[in-house]
Each structure stands twice: as structure tokens, then as C-alpha cells.
Amino acid sequence: MLLFAVGNVIAVGKQSIKIAYVSQERAVPAALSNLDDFIQNKGLFGAELAISDNNTTGQFTQQQYELKKIVVPLGGDLVKAFNSLGDDTGLVVLNVNPGQVNQLADLPAAQNKLLFDAASSDDELRGAQCRQHVLHILPSRAMRADALAQYMLKKRWREWFLVVGQTPEDQLYAAAIKRAAKRYGMKLVAEKAWDNTYDVRRTAQSDVPQFTQGEDYDVLVVADEQGLFGEYLDYRTWLPRPVIGTQGLIATAWHRTHEQWGAVQLQNRFKEQAGRWMEEEDYAAYLAVRAIGEASVRAKSDQVQAIKDYMLSDAFALQGYKGKPLSFRSWDGQLRQPILLAAPRSMVGVAPLDGFLHPKSELDTLGYDQPETACR
Amino acid sequence: MQKIFLSSFCVAALFMAAANAETVFVTLEKDNAIAIVDPAEGKLIKTVPVGQRPRGIAVSLDGKQIYVATSDDDTIKVLDSETLKEIGNLPSGEDPETFAISPDGKLMYVSNEDDNEVTVIDIAAKKAVQKIKVGVEPEGIAVSPDNKWVISASETTNMLHWIDTKTGKIVENTLVDPRPRAANFTADSQQLWATSEMAGTVIVMDSASKQIVQTIKLQVQAVNDELIQPVGVVIDKDRHYAYVAMGPANRVAVINAQNYHVEKYLLVGQRVWNLAFSPDQKRLYTTNGVSNDISIIDLTEHKVTKSLAVGRYPWGVAVKP
């Protein structure tokens, strides 16, 4: 009896929580213009800012957070880098291509770790291909499309003309848009593929009027994730119609025009550290590391399982500068969150919009709800 | 008989005018100005430019000066309360948001949100005398009326830091619900009340034991829990009632401060943030950030008597007797 009691005494010392940030450099994609520089290190500064926030809190709770940064060069061996993480690093933030998420999650070395997908928007990774030890920080494409659909419904833009680019990602985005149209009772009056073929007489700019001619619709919805042509659509359509989707009015987790609910403070702190605006991936990495901080402080633990249990419990409430507490959906590991509807220089709205109701959380009007999930 | 009636009527009218002689000052975060309001007349007297992004505001003990935290100017401006001219600056450190003044009027404690610090300023000397490291994004700050404690609430760390005024050191940290915003002591210093914006809760702490004695969950029928985001909290002198501004729930909660029951929710303007009593505590003034107005609440009836447009993003409010 005495021995049992002694065995249960927990040493009161400093807890050390090791977090890895694993990323692989991306090939610089083709760009429409030189207006915005390609940012190679999206995400990293977000993780660093969150670590420093965690440690500011940790000084009062006797918890120390450590960030192990691994950025694999283009063509480097990502799997090898992941396998080099020790057993003592149980929490891993991933900023990798969507195809690499489950490749890493299925490694034997990943089985006792908790992974945070801080870059993808793939519905498949949250659906049929979900993994129990992977949490997804950014809104899925379905969540984004639902957010836009709510806005279009509110504006009574019921008839959509969908323009779809050539990449597989554009097809996925278009699929999410179609799902949202069905969900909100909207009508897809036209759908056209943008094929990116020109000759000497045709340029992208000059193609838009005739490309959009002959249809009547309320709003042009564009699926062009890489930004290869979407910016050409606004002001060039045959009929004067707004553009929404991946360009024009966009649905995003974070935006530089966002300043409500204390967001100005986060924007300022980030800019001071990074020397540039906070991007979506920076915000995602920030939230992932902050979620670990919040759960470990509340659970008073440095153990992966205890942190995960707290994170997925009803008690978990993460402050994400978007006016509502963020939490994880237990059915697919998706972070529940408001979505910003942003124009290049103004914040147009925040979804879920007023009036879109849900029995549990209005945030669950966005994306795959519990009864619809394919995650098993 | 008629004469007597008349004179007593005059006295009553005079008395009412005297009771309402206070002036209300409101910072307008987006207009870079303060609004000056005559609450008796229910009129906006004028708007005076003050500096970049004014937020926290207070009137000095003697009523002669007004302090305004102009966040984007990284300073606290001192204005003459009559002429409203700038007569000085206090070295607040970066991005001052809110501040509290010691009961003797000598020291000012400022939250520096971007630097995770509280700056202590000697007001007469216009000098920063100490910087105290606190959690991430400190905002709400309060000094106990007995001058023993300074409370700093850090929004992202989710803690109330108890700072001993004698040493300037943190002696206790209370982990609270997500995003603590504002804190205030009761007049007898025995209790600390604090709001948690994301959780929609108000906690009441015992100052002696530093233990939470009550957690009050604010809930309004037909208003989603996610919109219940309490910010400002004030407690009357006799600890009969506490009043809590509920942000985007657009209401002020009237809480019985003896049994902690919420007795009423008063509908005010949109996104109500901060609160201030009239000197006689018969009225309460609220700043409504999104509807760009202030509400005046009659505290004997617990009724909203007036809403008054003041300018863009009213944030802080202070009352000069």
C-alpha cells in the first residue's frame, strides 16, 4: 500500500514539450505577374511565433516548448527526415504537399505521434483517407465553398457560372463548389473549362469577353487555385458580373485585411518577426503549435496522449482571433473555425453568416458535418 | 401654498441638473478622436482629434486631466479636461491599450499588448519606473482599491497575473477560461471579477485566498453561445450589482453580486465593450463598437434610457464629475 502511494507521486519539475515542424521546399510555380513574390517559407514563422507565445505562458506553468525545424530541400528525402525524429518528439506540424501527408502518417515511426496537417485543404484527407492521428488546421475546400455559398445565398446570387482551370486541384475545388451549390439550392447554369491555350491573335485578357458570352448568370465562380488566369476575369466578363471563388472574393482562413477580435495584434506581432504579412499557412502553423500549448497547459501534461485527449474533448477552446473559439471536429480531425470572405483590400464578411443555423455549432454549417463524413 | 410648491419644484430641477452635471468622454478608435458627451442633455457636444487609435481612457483623481492611450502613437496623452488641449505625454511603451491608476493617483499601470509587458509610470515625473513581464497579449488591468494588487489579464496566455504593488513582482497566476479581457475589484478589495471572452464566463475570485469562488456562465435565450463574449465588468460600491458588457451579444448582464444570479440582460448597441458608472452610480454608460454609439442605462430602474451616436468604433469611456 505504501509502495503504491509512493509510486504515484509525480515529480514536480519542469515539463518539456518537443514539437517538430517538418516541411519540404516547393518548386516555384508559374505566376501571372510579379506583383507578389513567391514565399518559400510559408508556415515557419507562424510556428516560431507560436512557440514564443507558448513559452511566455510556459514560464508560469513550468512548461518548456521546443521547436525542431526541419526543412527538406526540393528533391530531398522527406521520409528519411521524418524518421530522424526521435521518439521523444511526439507532436509534428506538417507543411508538405497533400500527397505526402498520409505517406508520412503511415510510417511506423508516426504511429505514436500526433500530426498536424497545416497546409492542405483536401477533403479526401479528411474523409475516406482520414487517419486517426492526423488533425487538419486549414479549412477544407468544402468548408470554403460552403462559406462562399452562404454569402451568395445572402446576396441572392443564385445562378452560377463555374469556370474551372486545368490542374487536379482546380477539379477538386470545382467539386466542392458543386457540392455547395446542391447543399444551398443554387443553380449551376453554366460550366466551362479554361484551357490556357492561346495563339498569336488571342491572349488571356482578350479571351474573357467571348469566353463568358452567351450565358446569363448572377455570379462567375472561378476554380483556379494556382492563380493562372482567375485574375483576368474581373472587369472583363461580357456581362457585368462579380467574380468569386479562388479569385475576386475568396474564402480563406486568414487575410491581411482581417483586424477584428484582436487580429491586429497577431498581424502586428507576425509582421515584426517575419517582415511580411501573415499567410494562411503561417496562421495554420501558428494555430497548430498554439493548440499544443493550450492543451498541454490545460491538461498539465507533456504526454502526447493526454494532449490529444484534451484537444479532442469538449473543453478545448482555442483562441484564433476570429471571434469564436476554435475546436476540433471529433469525426474527422478538422479544426472548426470561422472563414473569412475577403476582397484584396477589404474584409467582406465572416462565415458562418448570420441566419445559417446548426443544432450544435454554427461553425458546423461549413464543410462535412458528422452525419456526412466518410472518415471511419 | 402655491409659492412653496413652486420653489420646491425649482430646487428639484436644480438638484437634477447638478446630479447630471457630469461629462462623458469616449475614445473613438477609428476616428482617432474623443467624443465629449453631455449625458443630461443626451447630446454629443463635440469631437476632438487626439492621436492614432485611441483606446483606454481615464480621468485623473482631481478631475483636471484626462489620460488617453493612443495605441498607434505608442504613448499615453495627457489632456486638460476643460480645454481638451494636449498638455503632456506619458512614456507608456509600445502599443498601450488599457491602463489603471493607483488609488492615490500617483502610478499608472499600462498593458503593452505587443510586448507582453506591464509598464509602471510615475505620473508626476512622467517616467516609466518599471516593466513587468507578463503573459501573451496583456489587456485588462486593475488596481485594488486598497493598493495591494495589480491584476494583469493576458488574453492568449489565459491567465490573471497577481502583481504585488510593493515589489512589482508576480506572486500568483490564475489560469482562467479562454481570452480573459477585463478585470475589476469590488470597492472593498475583497473580490476580483474578471471576464473570459471566448468562454462567455465571468469569474469571481477571493482576493485573500486567490481562489475562484464562482464561475458565472452568461446565456441568453435565442442568442448563440458563440456570440456571448463578455468584456467590461464593473461592480457597484455596495456590491449589490455587477454589470458585464457582453460584446456581440449586444447586451449588458445585470448580475446580483450577492448570490451571483444574472437578473437581467439589457439590450444596448452592437458589440458593447466597456462600461463606466456616473459618479453617483445611478447611471451606466456603455461603448458600442459596431453600432458607433453609447447607451445610457438608468441603474435604479435597470433600463436603457438613451442611445447616442458618437463616432466610429467607440472603445473606452470615462466620466468626469
Side-chain angles (χ1 to χ4, degrees), chain A residues 116 286-296 307 311 316 318 328:
Chain A
F116 298 80
Y286 176 82
L287 286 185
V289 175
R290 280 291 302 126
I292 295 166
E294 180 67 19
S296 55
I307 289 170
M311 245 181 227
F316 184 72
L318 184 63
F328 287 99

Side-chain angles (χ1 to χ4, degrees), chain A residues 331-367:
Chain A
W331 54 92
D332 63 358
Q334 167 70 52
L335 187 71
R336 207 181 256 126
Q337 62 192 299
I339 293 181
L340 310 177
L341 300 172
R345 290 183 70 86
S346 89
M347 185 58 55
V348 176
V350 181
L353 298 176
D354 281 348
F356 291 92
L357 303 176
H358 189 278
K360 288 205 183 105
S361 163
E362 279 158 26
L363 294 175
D364 287 342
T365 60
L366 305 172

Side-chain angles (χ1 to χ4, degrees), chain A residues 70-89:
Chain A
I70 299 178
V71 180
V72 179
L74 199 59
D77 192 341
L78 185 65
V79 169
K80 193 175 156 198
F82 187 93
N83 282 331
S84 75
L85 296 171
D87 286 340
D88 63 337
T89 305

Side-chain angles (χ1 to χ4, degrees), chain A residues 147-160:
Chain A
L148 293 173
Q150 288 187 358
Y151 188 76
M152 289 188 272
L153 182 60
K154 186 189 156 197
K155 297 298 289 179
R156 298 175 186 275
W157 298 338
R158 291 170 179 279
E159 305 203 330
W160 301 359

